[in-house]
Amino acid sequence: MREFSTPAAGGHRTGGNLTDDVLAHVGAEPSKVLLRRRHRGSPADGWSEVTAADFHAQVMDVAKGLVAAGVQAGERVALLARTRFEWTVLDYAIWWIGAVTVPVYESSPADQVAFVLADSEAVALLVEYAAHADRVASVRHRLPALRRVWTLEKGAVEQLTELGAQVSDDALEQRRRAVRPGWLATIVYTSGTTGSARGCALTHGHLMAEVDAVTEAWEHLFDGEQGSTLLFLPLAHVFARVIQVGCIRTGTTLGHTADMTDLLGALGSFAPTFVLGVPRVFEKIYAAAAQEAAVRGRGRLFAAAAGTAIAWSHSYESGRPGTLLRARHGILEYLVYRRLRALLGGRVRFALSGGAPMSRRLSHFFRGVGVPVLEGYGLTETTAAVTATLPGLNKVGTVGRPLPGVTVRIADDGELLCRGPQVFDGYWNDAEATASALTGGWFHTGDLGEIDGEGFVRVTGRKNEILVTAGGKNVAPALLEDRIRAHPMVDHCLVVGDGRPYVAALVTLDPDAAGVWARANGRRPEVIELADDPDLRDEIHGAVEAANAAVSPAESVRRFRVLTARWTEEGGQLTPSLNLRRRQVMDEHGHDVDALYD
């Protein structure tokens, strides 16, 4: 199939803006708990409730402060902070006055911060810590438009509240009511896996259309009576932002945490009904569970449980589990699966994954343990998802069917195209890139894909990442990388082979999992010593062979090299959404690649 559409359920919005959702809750049920805020040492396991009336009051206070500070409608206000309660308050306050939010990943180095602030011509900036303010100060001479900088940990919210004390409710409401769907709401900069970041200009209408679609498609998740989620993805990521707005729209309780070292603790105390992550987060959860089992001497039991969960999930695609599989799954439910769900808080019914396609093996594993992973496919330019898998309509290995109002098409060269009301109108200050990305009403995603007879979309690789070997074989590296990375001891993997006689791979080790293996096998846990250990290489070889089973011999990995390096966001090898910056890794490890072909 070359094209598939899903009809829109409702009409196109001609009025209103994102802030209407807050007022709707205040008018209908001001005591409705919209958010829960984490406080160390507070009652209720560290979480306090924030009602619709409370949230509205805090947003109004900050919005008045921004008005008093001279922020005009249409001007850009940047946020450089981790995922936290104030992020959501600030976002809505900026929208309240018709200004534009520009999120900045808090891990961004000074040069990237300077680029985003200068390109967007941000007039004000809110940062989380003094260290962030210092980072901005080092490049302040490159930011002529920037007038004000506030720091959250130094009382920014209180300062803005005091500053805006004399601004009237009527004046603020006039600013809010002027905002229409076509007004710019945010400029979200792409994380730049293949080049310089570009600012995606998204309007209130784009975000409202996206939230309309995802809350309809995932209505089982956005349950305003019982539903809740704990955001830990950066809110600079457009998918996390859509979930934020979806929760406020539907009254699904929203929480925030940025402490990834205590993520399981936060999940346990918050007990969400669904969680949102990128595939690498779910890989880490799987690896952590496998590592914990190995430490407790239950590594074989976990391996058996993982195999049974995957088989159980596969069985639903061909009918139903057989008697023996049902019995084995029932025993492992008691011994393993319920404990795994307890790590996520015990109430999780679904997980959402976005940012990149999830590996089939991992999707089957989570479905088999009782936490089906629903995938959304999209880009920043499409305001997050344009396709999604649904509860009861979840074909593993695909990214689902188009959301309501969306059409997808496969171009003659295999590229996946889409159009719909959430697709952006263009890049900020970049008409040339806009003209290249949007042609004839279609957005060119840069991804290669397929559409099956039922309208399910499968992403097969990135158009600009296809490797062509010296023998002329086209190889999509993502499938091989995903399967190799599924091994608990593998942290990251880069498949290479463009213009080379065969396909090969660079592999980095997860230091925690490798350390567990080392101690269990009488080795020192230092990665530099393990990289050439023949027994460890046998372990990695098993992961490579498992990956090769999914491709033809001409596409299979012939050689691999275990590196002592780590690829991290701080080192620049990963984007903030944990995708690999292939170009940078290739530049840094060209000699390692050459060694694979000596």
Side-chain angles (χ1 to χ4, degrees), residues 1-4 408-410 449-453 455-457:
M1 183 177 290
R2 307 295 297 182
E3 185 173 313
F4 192 88
V408 294
R409 171 187 287 182
I410 304 300
E450 302 168 348
I451 306 172
D452 71 14
F456 285 86
V457 176

Side-chain angles (χ1 to χ4, degrees), residues 6-13 181-182 201-214 381-386 402-407 418-425 441:
T6 301
H12 181 66
R13 290 184 183 237
L202 305 177
T203 66
H204 284 257
H206 291 136
L207 280 160
M208 289 192 293
E210 173 70 3
V211 171
D212 284 345
V214 299
E381 291 89 339
T382 63
T383 323
V386 286
L403 288 170
V406 172
T407 302
C418 64
R419 64 184 180 191
Q422 64 270 75
V423 175
F424 80 152
D425 298 320

Side-chain angles (χ1 to χ4, degrees), residues 63-139:
K64 288 178 179 180
L66 292 172
V67 170
V71 177
Q72 301 298 311
E75 288 189 319
R76 276 73 63 199
V77 179
L79 297 183
L80 193 163
R82 299 179 305 163
T83 298
R84 54 187 288 165
F85 170 77
E86 291 87 352
W87 215 110
T88 298
V89 171
L90 292 165
D91 207 11
Y92 275 86
I94 293 165
W95 291 336
W96 212 273
I97 65 170
V100 181
T101 306
V102 180
V104 185
Y105 284 101
E106 67 91 22
S107 58
S108 299
D111 281 348
Q112 289 182 14
V113 173
F115 171 80
V116 171
L117 296 181
D119 188 68
S120 65
E121 297 178 285
V123 301
L125 169 67
L126 290 113
V127 301
E128 186 169 10
Y129 297 121
H132 296 144
D134 292 342
R135 196 182 308 164
V136 174
S138 71
V139 294

Side-chain angles (χ1 to χ4, degrees), residues 226-283:
Q226 302 294 330
S228 63
T229 193
L230 179 65
L231 274 185
F232 48 85
L233 276 187
L235 275 161
H237 193 296
V238 71
F239 199 17
R241 202 82 167 286
V242 165
I243 299 303
Q244 168 193 267
V245 177
C247 286
I248 298 297
R249 164 80 57 81
T250 60
T252 301
T253 306
L254 177 66
H256 308 74
T257 186
D259 186 359
M260 297 302 288
T261 62
D262 188 37
L263 177 59
L264 293 181
L267 288 168
S269 61
F270 190 89
T273 60
F274 73 93
V275 293
L276 168 72
V278 293
R280 191 64 186 136
V281 169
F282 296 105
E283 290 168 2

Side-chain angles (χ1 to χ4, degrees), residues 34-45:
L34 283 188
L35 303 102
R36 292 172 66 201
R37 184 178 185 182
R38 196 174 196 188
H39 294 290
R40 300 289 183 181
S42 69
D45 291 328

